[in-house]
Amino acid sequence: MLRIAVQAKGRLFEETMNLLAESDIKLSPSKRTLLVQSSNFPVEVLFLRDDDIPQSVATGVADIGIVGENEYAEKKEDAEIIKRLGFSKCRLSLAMPKDIDYPGVSWFHGKKIATSYPVILGDYLKAHGVNSEIHVITGSVEVAPGIGLADAIFDIVSSGSTLVSNRLREVEVVMKSEALLIGNKNLSAEKKAILDELLFRMHAVETAEDKKYVLMNAPKDRLEDIIAVLPGMKSPTVMPLAQEGWCSLHTVLDEKCFWEIIGKLKSMGAEGILVLPIEKMIP
């Protein structure tokens, strides 16, 4: 049985549970307890505070965990990064009152900075030769300058709307963060085998993201031209149609270039273009 530590609530919790569900890890929909076992896969999920996950994995309380890179960097626990998951992206930034001119990072010298991430901030300030007073706050860090508790803040930024509402502006991005799958360095062979299967499923889900399965009817005399503009994974599937001079062509397209490619296909005579979502892709 592989035990995975997961954030108990918040955006990272929701996206983690979606990933597990898409990987066909079935968990009880009933009221959540601290520890829940999957009904169809040898995994049990341990729900913790996000800042407790790195230590729980490093000490073996959990075998693996999904945690924000910001918490992993802050805690500096002896756990290894297994996989970057690509969701829950944000950044840790220094912000200051928007009405004050900002000459550079030297502005923070001698200032009081409120943060929930004193380790990351301390390392950054030391690297830049800046001596500031770090005031540790848990909770709503962004209100600190407005109530006179600090001159500036160091906190997570996603959209930046919270900064704007508190009359702050982001001036230095210290690090970028995303969800990480981290692991204990001493997993048994049995647990490593379970982890490998879980990673295989996660990779299949990840590969299918933003991909579309496209079917179309294409004139045979334009087939080479049509294939030349398709950036599919491999050579597309081509099958003959009952109508003379036509064939059916199947391929996979990335959504970011989808409309550009579809326009070219139509100009080359492709017809009856059918677009389907892809749930998983097995390499």
Short mmCIF file of all heavy atoms in Angstrom, two decimals, residues 214-258:
data_model
loop_
_atom_site.label_atom_id
_atom_site.label_comp_id
_atom_site.label_asym_id
_atom_site.label_seq_id
_atom_site.Cartn_x
_atom_site.Cartn_y
_atom_site.Cartn_z
N VAL A 214 -8.97 14.26 -34.22
CA VAL A 214 -9.61 14.87 -35.40
C VAL A 214 -9.76 13.83 -36.50
O VAL A 214 -8.80 13.15 -36.87
CB VAL A 214 -8.79 16.07 -35.91
CG1 VAL A 214 -9.49 16.72 -37.09
CG2 VAL A 214 -8.60 17.10 -34.80
N LEU A 215 -10.98 13.71 -37.02
CA LEU A 215 -11.29 12.85 -38.16
C LEU A 215 -11.77 13.73 -39.30
O LEU A 215 -12.52 14.69 -39.06
CB LEU A 215 -12.36 11.81 -37.82
CG LEU A 215 -12.13 10.87 -36.64
CD1 LEU A 215 -12.53 11.53 -35.33
CD2 LEU A 215 -12.92 9.58 -36.84
N MET A 216 -11.38 13.41 -40.51
CA MET A 216 -11.82 14.21 -41.65
C MET A 216 -11.84 13.37 -42.91
O MET A 216 -11.15 12.34 -43.01
CB MET A 216 -10.88 15.40 -41.84
CG MET A 216 -9.50 15.03 -42.35
SD MET A 216 -8.28 16.33 -42.14
CE MET A 216 -7.89 16.10 -40.39
N ASN A 217 -12.62 13.80 -43.87
CA ASN A 217 -12.59 13.23 -45.22
C ASN A 217 -11.69 14.11 -46.08
O ASN A 217 -11.80 15.34 -46.04
CB ASN A 217 -14.00 13.18 -45.82
CG ASN A 217 -14.90 12.24 -45.04
OD1 ASN A 217 -14.44 11.31 -44.39
ND2 ASN A 217 -16.20 12.50 -45.09
N ALA A 218 -10.79 13.48 -46.82
CA ALA A 218 -9.81 14.23 -47.58
C ALA A 218 -9.69 13.69 -49.00
O ALA A 218 -9.73 12.46 -49.21
CB ALA A 218 -8.45 14.17 -46.90
N PRO A 219 -9.54 14.57 -50.00
CA PRO A 219 -9.32 14.10 -51.37
C PRO A 219 -7.93 13.47 -51.49
O PRO A 219 -6.95 14.00 -50.99
CB PRO A 219 -9.41 15.39 -52.20
CG PRO A 219 -9.11 16.49 -51.23
CD PRO A 219 -9.59 16.04 -49.90
N LYS A 220 -7.86 12.32 -52.14
CA LYS A 220 -6.59 11.58 -52.24
C LYS A 220 -5.52 12.38 -52.96
O LYS A 220 -4.34 12.27 -52.64
CB LYS A 220 -6.81 10.25 -52.94
CG LYS A 220 -7.53 9.21 -52.08
CD LYS A 220 -7.61 7.87 -52.80
CE LYS A 220 -8.26 6.82 -51.92
NZ LYS A 220 -8.37 5.51 -52.60
N ASP A 221 -5.92 13.21 -53.92
CA ASP A 221 -4.91 13.95 -54.66
C ASP A 221 -4.28 15.09 -53.86
O ASP A 221 -3.31 15.70 -54.29
CB ASP A 221 -5.49 14.48 -55.98
CG ASP A 221 -6.67 15.41 -55.77
OD1 ASP A 221 -7.09 15.59 -54.60
OD2 ASP A 221 -7.19 15.96 -56.76
N ARG A 222 -4.83 15.40 -52.68
CA ARG A 222 -4.24 16.42 -51.79
C ARG A 222 -3.70 15.80 -50.51
O ARG A 222 -3.33 16.53 -49.58
CB ARG A 222 -5.28 17.49 -51.44
CG ARG A 222 -5.87 18.25 -52.61
CD ARG A 222 -4.80 19.03 -53.39
NE ARG A 222 -3.99 19.91 -52.58
CZ ARG A 222 -4.35 21.17 -52.27
NH1 ARG A 222 -5.50 21.66 -52.72
NH2 ARG A 222 -3.54 21.94 -51.55
N LEU A 223 -3.68 14.47 -50.45
CA LEU A 223 -3.34 13.79 -49.21
C LEU A 223 -1.94 14.15 -48.70
O LEU A 223 -1.75 14.43 -47.52
CB LEU A 223 -3.45 12.28 -49.41
CG LEU A 223 -3.41 11.42 -48.12
CD1 LEU A 223 -4.51 11.85 -47.16
CD2 LEU A 223 -3.56 9.94 -48.48
N GLU A 224 -0.96 14.16 -49.60
CA GLU A 224 0.41 14.47 -49.18
C GLU A 224 0.51 15.89 -48.63
O GLU A 224 1.20 16.14 -47.63
CB GLU A 224 1.38 14.28 -50.34
CG GLU A 224 1.59 12.82 -50.73
CD GLU A 224 2.69 12.66 -51.76
OE1 GLU A 224 3.39 13.67 -52.06
OE2 GLU A 224 2.86 11.55 -52.27
N ASP A 225 -0.17 16.83 -49.26
CA ASP A 225 -0.16 18.21 -48.79
C ASP A 225 -0.81 18.33 -47.42
O ASP A 225 -0.32 19.07 -46.54
CB ASP A 225 -0.89 19.13 -49.78
CG ASP A 225 -0.17 19.20 -51.12
OD1 ASP A 225 1.06 18.99 -51.14
OD2 ASP A 225 -0.84 19.48 -52.13
N ILE A 226 -1.93 17.61 -47.23
CA ILE A 226 -2.63 17.65 -45.96
C ILE A 226 -1.78 17.06 -44.84
O ILE A 226 -1.64 17.63 -43.75
CB ILE A 226 -3.99 16.92 -46.06
CG1 ILE A 226 -4.95 17.74 -46.93
CG2 ILE A 226 -4.59 16.67 -44.69
CD1 ILE A 226 -6.26 17.05 -47.22
N ILE A 227 -1.16 15.92 -45.08
CA ILE A 227 -0.32 15.27 -44.08
C ILE A 227 0.86 16.16 -43.70
O ILE A 227 1.29 16.21 -42.54
CB ILE A 227 0.17 13.90 -44.58
CG1 ILE A 227 -1.02 12.93 -44.67
CG2 ILE A 227 1.25 13.33 -43.67
CD1 ILE A 227 -0.67 11.58 -45.27
N ALA A 228 1.36 16.93 -44.66
CA ALA A 228 2.53 17.78 -44.43
C ALA A 228 2.26 18.88 -43.39
O ALA A 228 3.18 19.36 -42.73
CB ALA A 228 3.00 18.41 -45.73
N VAL A 229 1.00 19.31 -43.24
CA VAL A 229 0.69 20.39 -42.29
C VAL A 229 0.21 19.87 -40.95
O VAL A 229 -0.04 20.65 -40.03
CB VAL A 229 -0.38 21.36 -42.87
CG1 VAL A 229 0.07 21.93 -44.18
CG2 VAL A 229 -1.74 20.69 -42.99
N LEU A 230 0.12 18.54 -40.80
CA LEU A 230 -0.35 17.97 -39.55
C LEU A 230 0.81 17.73 -38.59
O LEU A 230 1.72 16.95 -38.90
CB LEU A 230 -1.09 16.63 -39.80
CG LEU A 230 -2.40 16.72 -40.57
CD1 LEU A 230 -2.93 15.33 -40.84
CD2 LEU A 230 -3.42 17.53 -39.79
N PRO A 231 0.79 18.36 -37.42
CA PRO A 231 1.86 18.16 -36.45
C PRO A 231 1.53 17.07 -35.45
O PRO A 231 1.79 17.18 -34.26
CB PRO A 231 1.93 19.53 -35.75
CG PRO A 231 0.50 19.97 -35.73
CD PRO A 231 -0.13 19.42 -37.00
N GLY A 232 0.91 16.00 -35.91
CA GLY A 232 0.48 14.93 -35.03
C GLY A 232 1.64 14.19 -34.40
O GLY A 232 2.81 14.40 -34.73
N MET A 233 1.31 13.27 -33.46
CA MET A 233 2.34 12.53 -32.74
C MET A 233 3.16 11.65 -33.69
O MET A 233 4.37 11.58 -33.61
CB MET A 233 1.70 11.67 -31.66
CG MET A 233 1.00 12.46 -30.59
SD MET A 233 0.17 11.41 -29.39
CE MET A 233 1.56 10.54 -28.69
N LYS A 234 2.48 10.96 -34.58
CA LYS A 234 3.14 10.13 -35.57
C LYS A 234 2.36 10.29 -36.88
O LYS A 234 1.51 11.15 -37.01
CB LYS A 234 3.17 8.66 -35.13
CG LYS A 234 4.10 8.41 -33.95
CD LYS A 234 4.19 6.93 -33.64
CE LYS A 234 5.17 6.67 -32.48
NZ LYS A 234 5.27 5.24 -32.15
N SER A 235 2.66 9.44 -37.83
CA SER A 235 1.94 9.51 -39.11
C SER A 235 0.45 9.29 -38.87
O SER A 235 0.07 8.38 -38.13
CB SER A 235 2.50 8.43 -40.05
OG SER A 235 1.78 8.43 -41.26
N PRO A 236 -0.41 10.10 -39.47
CA PRO A 236 -1.85 9.94 -39.25
C PRO A 236 -2.37 8.64 -39.86
O PRO A 236 -1.74 8.05 -40.75
CB PRO A 236 -2.44 11.16 -39.97
CG PRO A 236 -1.43 11.52 -40.99
CD PRO A 236 -0.11 11.22 -40.37
N THR A 237 -3.52 8.21 -39.37
CA THR A 237 -4.17 7.02 -39.91
C THR A 237 -4.97 7.42 -41.15
O THR A 237 -5.73 8.38 -41.13
CB THR A 237 -5.12 6.41 -38.86
OG1 THR A 237 -4.36 6.05 -37.70
CG2 THR A 237 -5.82 5.18 -39.41
N VAL A 238 -4.80 6.67 -42.24
CA VAL A 238 -5.51 6.94 -43.49
C VAL A 238 -6.26 5.69 -43.91
O VAL A 238 -5.67 4.60 -44.00
CB VAL A 238 -4.54 7.37 -44.60
CG1 VAL A 238 -5.31 7.62 -45.90
CG2 VAL A 238 -3.75 8.61 -44.19
N MET A 239 -7.57 5.83 -44.17
CA MET A 239 -8.40 4.69 -44.59
C MET A 239 -9.21 5.08 -45.82
O MET A 239 -9.66 6.22 -45.92
CB MET A 239 -9.34 4.27 -43.45
CG MET A 239 -8.62 3.74 -42.22
SD MET A 239 -9.75 3.23 -40.90
CE MET A 239 -10.40 4.82 -40.39
N PRO A 240 -9.39 4.15 -46.76
CA PRO A 240 -10.15 4.47 -47.98
C PRO A 240 -11.64 4.62 -47.68
O PRO A 240 -12.17 4.00 -46.76
CB PRO A 240 -9.89 3.26 -48.88
CG PRO A 240 -9.59 2.14 -47.93
CD PRO A 240 -8.86 2.77 -46.77
N LEU A 241 -12.30 5.47 -48.47
CA LEU A 241 -13.76 5.62 -48.39
C LEU A 241 -14.40 4.96 -49.60
O LEU A 241 -13.74 4.69 -50.61
CB LEU A 241 -14.12 7.11 -48.35
CG LEU A 241 -13.73 7.89 -47.09
CD1 LEU A 241 -14.11 9.36 -47.25
CD2 LEU A 241 -14.39 7.30 -45.85
N ALA A 242 -15.70 4.72 -49.49
CA ALA A 242 -16.43 4.10 -50.61
C ALA A 242 -16.42 5.00 -51.83
O ALA A 242 -16.39 4.53 -52.97
CB ALA A 242 -17.86 3.77 -50.18
N GLN A 243 -16.43 6.32 -51.60
CA GLN A 243 -16.42 7.27 -52.71
C GLN A 243 -15.04 7.32 -53.35
O GLN A 243 -14.04 7.52 -52.67
CB GLN A 243 -16.82 8.66 -52.22
CG GLN A 243 -16.93 9.69 -53.33
CD GLN A 243 -17.41 11.04 -52.82
OE1 GLN A 243 -17.83 11.15 -51.67
NE2 GLN A 243 -17.35 12.05 -53.66
N GLU A 244 -14.97 7.12 -54.62
CA GLU A 244 -13.70 7.10 -55.35
C GLU A 244 -12.97 8.44 -55.19
O GLU A 244 -13.56 9.51 -55.30
CB GLU A 244 -13.97 6.84 -56.84
CG GLU A 244 -12.72 6.64 -57.67
CD GLU A 244 -11.96 5.37 -57.32
OE1 GLU A 244 -12.60 4.40 -56.86
OE2 GLU A 244 -10.73 5.36 -57.50
N GLY A 245 -11.66 8.35 -54.95
CA GLY A 245 -10.84 9.55 -54.85
C GLY A 245 -10.83 10.20 -53.48
O GLY A 245 -10.21 11.25 -53.32
N TRP A 246 -11.47 9.58 -52.50
CA TRP A 246 -11.51 10.15 -51.15
C TRP A 246 -11.04 9.14 -50.11
O TRP A 246 -11.12 7.93 -50.32
CB TRP A 246 -12.93 10.61 -50.80
CG TRP A 246 -13.31 11.89 -51.49
CD1 TRP A 246 -13.71 12.02 -52.79
CD2 TRP A 246 -13.26 13.20 -50.93
NE1 TRP A 246 -13.95 13.35 -53.08
CE2 TRP A 246 -13.67 14.09 -51.95
CE3 TRP A 246 -12.92 13.72 -49.70
CZ2 TRP A 246 -13.75 15.46 -51.77
CZ3 TRP A 246 -13.00 15.09 -49.49
CH2 TRP A 246 -13.41 15.95 -50.52
N CYS A 247 -10.56 9.65 -48.99
CA CYS A 247 -10.13 8.80 -47.88
C CYS A 247 -10.50 9.46 -46.56
O CYS A 247 -10.81 10.66 -46.51
CB CYS A 247 -8.63 8.52 -47.95
SG CYS A 247 -7.61 10.01 -47.87
N SER A 248 -10.45 8.68 -45.51
CA SER A 248 -10.70 9.19 -44.16
C SER A 248 -9.35 9.29 -43.44
O SER A 248 -8.56 8.35 -43.47
CB SER A 248 -11.64 8.26 -43.40
OG SER A 248 -11.81 8.71 -42.07
N LEU A 249 -9.11 10.43 -42.82
CA LEU A 249 -7.83 10.66 -42.17
C LEU A 249 -8.07 10.98 -40.69
O LEU A 249 -8.91 11.81 -40.35
CB LEU A 249 -7.11 11.82 -42.86
CG LEU A 249 -5.65 12.09 -42.49
CD1 LEU A 249 -4.89 12.66 -43.68
CD2 LEU A 249 -5.57 13.08 -41.32
N HIS A 250 -7.32 10.29 -39.80
CA HIS A 250 -7.46 10.47 -38.36
C HIS A 250 -6.12 10.94 -37.79
O HIS A 250 -5.07 10.38 -38.12
CB HIS A 250 -7.83 9.14 -37.67
CG HIS A 250 -9.11 8.56 -38.15
ND1 HIS A 250 -9.82 7.63 -37.42
CD2 HIS A 250 -9.82 8.73 -39.29
CE1 HIS A 250 -10.90 7.28 -38.07
NE2 HIS A 250 -10.92 7.93 -39.22
N THR A 251 -6.16 11.95 -36.89
CA THR A 251 -4.93 12.44 -36.29
C THR A 251 -5.22 13.09 -34.95
O THR A 251 -6.38 13.22 -34.54
CB THR A 251 -4.23 13.45 -37.23
OG1 THR A 251 -2.92 13.72 -36.76
CG2 THR A 251 -5.01 14.74 -37.33
N VAL A 252 -4.17 13.51 -34.26
CA VAL A 252 -4.27 14.21 -32.98
C VAL A 252 -3.66 15.59 -33.14
O VAL A 252 -2.55 15.73 -33.67
CB VAL A 252 -3.54 13.44 -31.86
CG1 VAL A 252 -3.54 14.26 -30.57
CG2 VAL A 252 -4.21 12.09 -31.62
N LEU A 253 -4.39 16.62 -32.68
CA LEU A 253 -3.90 17.99 -32.76
C LEU A 253 -3.84 18.62 -31.38
O LEU A 253 -4.69 18.35 -30.53
CB LEU A 253 -4.82 18.84 -33.65
CG LEU A 253 -4.86 18.52 -35.14
CD1 LEU A 253 -5.83 19.47 -35.84
CD2 LEU A 253 -3.48 18.62 -35.76
N ASP A 254 -2.84 19.45 -31.18
CA ASP A 254 -2.73 20.25 -29.96
C ASP A 254 -3.68 21.43 -30.08
O ASP A 254 -3.75 22.09 -31.11
CB ASP A 254 -1.30 20.74 -29.79
CG ASP A 254 -1.03 21.22 -28.37
OD1 ASP A 254 -1.81 22.08 -27.90
OD2 ASP A 254 -0.07 20.74 -27.75
N GLU A 255 -4.41 21.73 -29.01
CA GLU A 255 -5.43 22.78 -29.06
C GLU A 255 -4.84 24.15 -29.37
O GLU A 255 -5.49 24.99 -29.98
CB GLU A 255 -6.20 22.82 -27.74
CG GLU A 255 -7.46 23.66 -27.82
CD GLU A 255 -8.46 23.33 -26.73
OE1 GLU A 255 -8.08 22.67 -25.75
OE2 GLU A 255 -9.62 23.73 -26.88
N LYS A 256 -3.59 24.40 -28.96
CA LYS A 256 -3.01 25.73 -29.15
C LYS A 256 -2.79 26.06 -30.63
O LYS A 256 -2.70 27.23 -31.00
CB LYS A 256 -1.70 25.86 -28.38
CG LYS A 256 -0.60 24.92 -28.83
CD LYS A 256 0.61 25.04 -27.91
CE LYS A 256 1.71 24.06 -28.29
NZ LYS A 256 2.83 24.08 -27.35
N CYS A 257 -2.68 25.02 -31.49
CA CYS A 257 -2.52 25.29 -32.93
C CYS A 257 -3.71 24.77 -33.73
O CYS A 257 -3.67 24.73 -34.95
CB CYS A 257 -1.23 24.64 -33.45
SG CYS A 257 -1.20 22.83 -33.32
N PHE A 258 -4.80 24.42 -33.00
CA PHE A 258 -5.94 23.74 -33.61
C PHE A 258 -6.57 24.55 -34.75
O PHE A 258 -6.71 24.09 -35.87
CB PHE A 258 -6.98 23.43 -32.53
CG PHE A 258 -8.25 22.84 -33.06
CD1 PHE A 258 -8.31 21.52 -33.42
CD2 PHE A 258 -9.39 23.62 -33.21
CE1 PHE A 258 -9.48 20.96 -33.92
CE2 PHE A 258 -10.56 23.09 -33.69
CZ PHE A 258 -10.61 21.75 -34.05
#
